[in-house]
Amino acid sequence: MSDGLLLVHAFPLDARMWERQRFGATTIAPDLPGFGMAASAGPTMTMALAAERCLQAADDAGLERFVVCGLSMGGYVTFELWRRARDRIAGLVLANTRAGADTPEAAAGRRDLAERLRREGNVLAENPPPLLAEDAPEELQQRVKGWVADQSAEAIAAASLGMAERVDSTADLGGIDVPTLVITADGDRLIASDLTTPMADRIPGARLEVLPGVGHLTNVEAPDRFTALLREHVTTCGIPL
């Protein structure tokens, strides 16, 4: 068994979003259930099911301990991993995510989206959520749009329902005792930086980085800066790359 890095992708994408952050054989980036090449986990992809998929991927790769880097929905899965397997986690990177659960209104919106997806197909293919900054290059916008279009309507619906029922992880923040990096961006239109930054205050010893001029997918829109921060943090956690 060895140590490594586990990358957990955002909604509604797959592991291709991590193409610039793969450091070698000890970096794993599984597709979550239903996304990319992964089999569905059923009508609702809970964060628990997603965490199980990540742990299975780590076991398959022979990773005993790992740093977990989760972005957006991947952050929600990261909190579930912390609750389930904290003894295997050497460090955390929480990027463009939040600890709190959905408000009743937000959860209802996710359920409405799931119903529409199952009724009309992948409606996000032509109208994806604002994953990038408003002035992101057209080529990048089209690439991300293509990733969204490649996902099945059923997978997106199942994940939307899973996020709607996720638990509030705020109470877990104070007990995180591994090196933690919190990343956000001043142009994030999905999870505003003022929802992400408080986590750094509540996690003991956490480091906060705010990336300027980019949106929600910080690792895609600012890959050099994000990758440098990630590499530095993994090294700080004592994990060789």
Side-chain angles (χ1 to χ4, degrees), residues 161-218:
L161 292 175
M163 288 189 290
E165 66 177 53
R166 76 184 189 279
V167 301
D168 190 327
S169 298
T170 305
D172 294 307
L173 297 178
I176 294 175
D177 56 2
V178 295
T180 300
L181 171 63
V182 177
I183 299 176
T184 185
D186 61 10
D188 192 332
R189 295 181 286 158
L190 274 181
I191 300 179
S193 60
D194 61 0
L195 296 176
T196 299
T197 55
M199 294 191 298
D201 294 327
R202 300 191 66 166
I203 299 172
R207 173 184 175 186
L208 173 66
E209 290 286 342
V210 181
L211 303 188
V214 296
H216 190 61
L217 296 181
T218 45

Side-chain angles (χ1 to χ4, degrees), residues 88-160:
R88 299 181 65 179
I89 295 175
L92 298 175
V93 180
L94 300 167
N96 302 85
T97 192
R98 57 185 298 181
D102 279 349
T103 64
E105 295 77 16
R110 293 194 198 274
R111 296 186 185 103
D112 289 344
L113 173 61
E115 289 183 8
R116 187 181 174 204
L117 286 158
R118 287 171 170 157
R119 185 174 63 247
E120 303 176 26
N122 186 355
V123 294
L124 299 185
E126 288 303 317
N127 295 290
L131 295 166
L132 302 171
E134 289 188 87
D135 59 351
E138 179 65 20
E139 179 277 329
L140 189 58
Q141 293 185 45
Q142 290 304 315
R143 191 192 329 162
V144 171
K145 188 175 180 180
W147 293 340
V148 176
D150 286 344
Q151 313 308 319
S152 72
E154 182 58 35
I156 300 173
S160 188

Side-chain angles (χ1 to χ4, degrees), residues 76-88:
Y76 307 153
V77 178
T78 298
F79 286 122
E80 190 63 36
L81 283 165
W82 177 253
R83 288 187 286 271
R84 287 169 173 261
R86 61 187 297 168
D87 58 314
R88 299 181 65 179

Side-chain angles (χ1 to χ4, degrees), residues 3-5 65-68 88-93 177-181 229-241:
D3 297 339
L5 170 63
R65 295 175 70 254
F66 39 80
V67 173
V68 185
R88 299 181 65 179
I89 295 175
L92 298 175
V93 180
D177 56 2
V178 295
T180 300
L181 171 63
L229 289 169
L230 179 59
R231 184 183 292 275
E232 178 186 358
H233 187 68
V234 173
T235 301
T236 298
C237 295
I239 302 296
L241 294 175

Side-chain angles (χ1 to χ4, degrees), residues 7-22 28-38 45 53 71 73-74 122 131 143-152 155-156 159 217 219-220:
L7 302 168
V8 192
H9 68 76
F11 171 92
L13 307 174
D14 58 36
R16 285 176 293 176
M17 66 171 275
W18 297 116
E19 58 191 7
R20 294 286 297 275
Q21 285 80 42
R22 296 176 186 266
I28 58 171
D31 290 324
L32 296 180
F35 291 92
M37 302 298 291
M45 189 204 77
R53 165 73 180 124
L71 193 150
M73 178 177 71
N122 186 355
L131 295 166
R143 191 192 329 162
V144 171
K145 188 175 180 180
W147 293 340
V148 176
D150 286 344
Q151 313 308 319
S152 72
I156 300 173
L217 296 181
N219 75 305
V220 173

